[in-house]
Amino acid sequence: MHDRMFARPAPTPFEVAFVEALGRGDLSALNALPPDALPSDWDAPLLCGHTPIEITVKTRQPRSARWLERHSATVTLVDAWDIGWKSRVRRTVASQPKSGEEFSIQGVRTPLHEAAGRGDCELLSVLLAGRPNLTLRDRQYNGTPLNWAEIYRHNDAAQLIRDAS
């Protein structure tokens, strides 16, 4: 655990119940929690270091993700893709072609950077259909999506980006 986590008070039983319910997709347990036990900022990292949406993605709980979304949590294109909402991502890119350019991944990279860095050619193809600006540089390492694909040696992803340029 990081030092910042040790500096915070231990989680309350309600906070533990919240995270466990998210991870199980237990909507009854989520709905039973008192309102003051729920996060005031749905997009802020919890003590575990993950946001509530990230917990639902990691535990593959789309029901919990929908519950969080109804409570105003932000679901990025990459979150939606990872939770299995691929048709939603396709519809979003079709209706908002530049959505792949948003610095929505920890505020420092775009879905394009993430897809390229992962070598996720399927997601990358969906995002490239929106004809995004491929010269955008991430805010952490100053790399383009092509740089990310190349540095991680995802040759197929790099070729997709080159072909789209």
Side-chain angles (χ1 to χ4, degrees):
M1 291 177 61
H2 298 282
D3 287 341
R4 66 180 160 75
M5 293 175 191
F6 287 114
R8 292 178 56 187
T12 67
F14 285 127
E15 290 171 324
V16 172
F18 173 66
V19 172
E20 288 177 349
L22 286 176
R24 289 190 314 268
D26 188 343
L27 302 187
S28 295
L30 289 168
N31 289 326
L33 289 168
D36 61 337
L38 300 174
S40 58
D41 180 351
W42 293 102
D43 297 330
L46 302 169
L47 185 61
C48 62
H50 299 295
T51 66
I53 283 291
E54 288 171 341
I55 291 167
T56 67
V57 169
K58 289 183 182 305
T59 57
R60 301 189 188 282
Q61 293 295 339
R63 290 172 36 148
S64 293
R66 279 191 290 280
W67 186 91
L68 287 169
E69 194 171 39
R70 284 193 302 272
H71 286 82
S72 302
T74 302
V75 178
T76 68
L77 286 178
V78 173
D79 294 331
W81 186 263
D82 289 347
I83 205 72
W85 299 341
K86 294 181 177 185
S87 60
R88 173 178 165 169
V89 173
R90 286 183 178 92
R91 285 191 311 272
T92 300
V93 172
S95 65
Q96 301 166 33
K98 301 302 179 189
S99 56
E101 297 179 7
E102 295 172 7
F103 284 87
S104 57
I105 313 302
Q106 299 173 339
V108 297
R109 60 189 183 276
T110 69
L112 281 164
H113 289 92
E114 185 68 15
R118 292 178 178 187
D120 187 334
C121 291
E122 185 182 6
L123 175 56
L124 193 55
S125 293
V126 170
L127 297 170
L128 290 171
R131 304 175 85 43
N133 177 355
L134 298 175
T135 64
L136 286 175
R137 295 185 172 274
D138 71 273
R139 296 174 177 161
Q140 187 174 15
Y141 302 111
N142 198 37
T144 64
L146 179 58
N147 297 146
W148 278 65
E150 290 172 339
I151 198 76
Y152 288 108
R153 296 190 171 121
H154 297 304
N155 298 329
D156 292 343
Q159 192 58 53
L160 279 173
I161 295 168
R162 282 189 207 96
D163 291 347
S165 296

